[in-house]
């Protein structure tokens, strides 16, 4: 069991097959709608037999780790959203390794949202981030619902962390920084407890998306789509519509176009 699991979502692999009735699309030389059926079936079978621990197969996607804005381009965002370019702001974030980078397009359209009994304008947002080599097994382990047993383990790990029983250097450094800032143990516990609750809520928001890449999930809390294709995953955050279904639909269409760029 992975004691460090906070991200949670379980994803399924979907394969849709359709039959064409009389008078509809015709099977022309083994093709339906321009798709070679035999090749598609062979590719699907090969994918099913692929090593679930394999990662990094989609080298094309990995190339864009250094140029996110050349995969999710300004023109593509404008075409899909239909928004006015004069209201657009672009931010390219480069923190830590390229797999943590992102490009974010925001639009000051003055859309109104209600929060805590108040209404306020906020910016529409389309973001691509976290292009990273990842196996199907790792994806399935990361993006799934946490079990009650794992939930209890997280509590134990956090308790050990604050009691100084966790030897991980990053964790020790983080606690050391809190102490330098004058944050006592109880305050630190409250802070991590709040973060833990937020992570848990996000984890409960993941929903499977069928027929997209090798695996995909949509999060209803963060409006984020996570897609895995041939051992490489990426995250898309889309918040441009008033309903979750509309944001999800746009994110899926955008993901298909990004995947097409590497086919």
């Amino acid at each position: 069991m992975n004691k460090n699991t906070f991200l949670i979502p379980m994803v399924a692999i979907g394969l849709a097959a359709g039959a064409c009735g009389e008078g509809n699309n015709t099977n022309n030389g083994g093709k339906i709608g321009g798709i070679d059926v035999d090749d598609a079936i062979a590719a699907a079978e090969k994918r099913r037999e692929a090593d679930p621990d394999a990662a990094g197969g989609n080298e094309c996607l990995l190339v864009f780790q250094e140029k996110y804005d050349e995969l999710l381009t300004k023109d593509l965002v404008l075409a899909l959203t239909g928004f006015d370019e004069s209201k657009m702001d672009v931010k390219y974030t480069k923190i830590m390794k390229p797999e943590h980078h992102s490009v974010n397009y925001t639009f000051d359209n003055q859309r109104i949202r209600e929060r805590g009994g108040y209404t306020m304008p906020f910016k529409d947002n389309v973001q691509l981030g976290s292009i990273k080599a990842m196996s199907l097994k790792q994806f399935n382990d990361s993006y799934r619902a946490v079990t009650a047993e794992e939930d209890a383990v997280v509590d134990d790990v956090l308790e050990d962390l604050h009691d100084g029983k966790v030897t991980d250097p990053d964790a020790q450094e983080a606690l050391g920084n809190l102490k330098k800032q004058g944050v006592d143990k109880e305050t630190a516990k409250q802070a991590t407890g709040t973060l833990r609750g937020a992570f848990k809520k996000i984890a409960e928001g993941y929903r499977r998306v069928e027929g997209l890449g090798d695996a995909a999930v949509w999060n209803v809390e963060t409006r984020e789509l996570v897609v895995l294709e041939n051992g490489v995953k990426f995250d898309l955050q889309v918040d441009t519509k008033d309903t979750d279904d509309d944001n999800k639909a746009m994110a899926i269409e955008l993901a298909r176009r990004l995947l097409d760029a590497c086919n």
Side-chain angles (χ1 to χ4, degrees):
M1 177 165 44
N2 184 351
K3 293 185 178 182
N4 296 317
T5 300
F6 274 146
L7 293 178
I8 305 161
M10 200 154 220
V11 189
I13 305 168
L15 175 66
C20 296
E22 212 175 316
N24 295 322
N25 292 339
T26 59
N27 187 335
N28 183 11
K31 293 186 177 182
I32 297 178
I35 299 174
D36 190 300
V37 179
D38 291 335
D39 287 349
I41 292 174
E45 291 297 334
K46 183 177 181 181
R47 185 164 290 165
R48 285 197 189 102
E49 297 170 0
D51 181 359
D53 293 319
N58 196 327
E59 296 179 3
C60 173
L61 278 177
L62 288 176
V63 167
F64 288 103
Q65 276 189 330
E66 301 286 352
K67 44 187 179 181
Y68 282 68
D69 56 345
E70 291 185 26
L71 182 58
L72 181 63
T73 64
K74 175 187 70 174
D75 291 341
L76 178 55
V77 172
L78 290 172
L80 279 180
T81 62
F83 291 155
D84 186 345
E85 184 176 355
S86 66
K87 297 181 180 181
M88 181 175 70
D89 182 57
V90 184
K91 182 179 180 181
Y92 200 123
T93 302
K94 296 183 178 181
I95 299 176
M96 301 173 66
K97 298 178 181 179
E99 65 190 50
H100 301 298
H101 295 179
S102 66
V103 61
N104 186 25
Y105 299 87
T106 57
F107 295 85
D108 192 9
N109 294 325
Q110 296 293 300
R111 188 154 58 98
I112 302 298
R113 173 173 289 166
E114 185 174 342
R115 286 280 177 88
Y118 296 93
T119 57
M120 60 188 72
F122 71 100
K123 293 183 179 181
D124 293 305
N125 175 65
V126 179
Q127 177 174 294
L128 169 67
S130 192
I131 298 176
K132 178 181 179 180
M134 179 177 286
S135 69
L136 178 59
K137 182 179 184 301
Q138 184 182 359
F139 189 92
N140 286 337
D141 285 344
S142 299
Y143 299 97
R144 61 177 177 79
V146 68
T147 66
E149 182 182 4
E150 288 169 330
D151 202 37
V153 168
V154 170
D155 284 334
D156 291 341
V157 170
L158 287 176
E159 190 67 30
D160 288 345
L161 174 65
H162 292 295
D163 288 341
K165 298 177 182 178
V166 175
T167 58
D168 180 81
D170 291 336
Q172 290 180 336
E173 181 182 355
L175 286 178
N177 289 336
L178 288 176
K179 290 179 180 179
K180 289 179 182 178
Q181 295 170 24
V183 179
D184 60 36
K185 180 179 175 180
E186 289 306 313
T187 302
K189 276 189 174 183
Q190 292 176 7
T192 53
T194 301
L195 287 173
R196 182 179 181 280
F199 278 125
K200 185 175 181 180
K201 185 176 182 181
I202 290 172
E204 292 171 347
Y206 283 98
R207 305 289 184 268
R208 296 184 301 179
V209 176
E210 306 290 352
L212 180 63
D214 292 336
V217 289
W218 169 256
N219 192 293
V220 299
E221 293 290 335
T222 61
R223 294 175 175 83
E224 186 174 48
L225 180 70
V226 188
V227 181
L228 178 75
E229 173 73 17
N230 192 14
V232 178
K233 73 99 177 178
F234 60 85
D235 301 347
L236 271 176
Q237 189 176 63
V238 176
D239 189 359
T240 64
K241 304 290 184 180
D242 291 327
T243 71
D244 183 71
D245 285 344
D246 287 340
N247 282 313
K248 178 182 175 182
M250 178 172 286
I252 290 173
E253 174 59 24
L254 185 53
R256 293 192 192 284
R257 297 202 186 189
L258 299 187
L259 291 176
D260 286 344
C262 282
N263 286 335

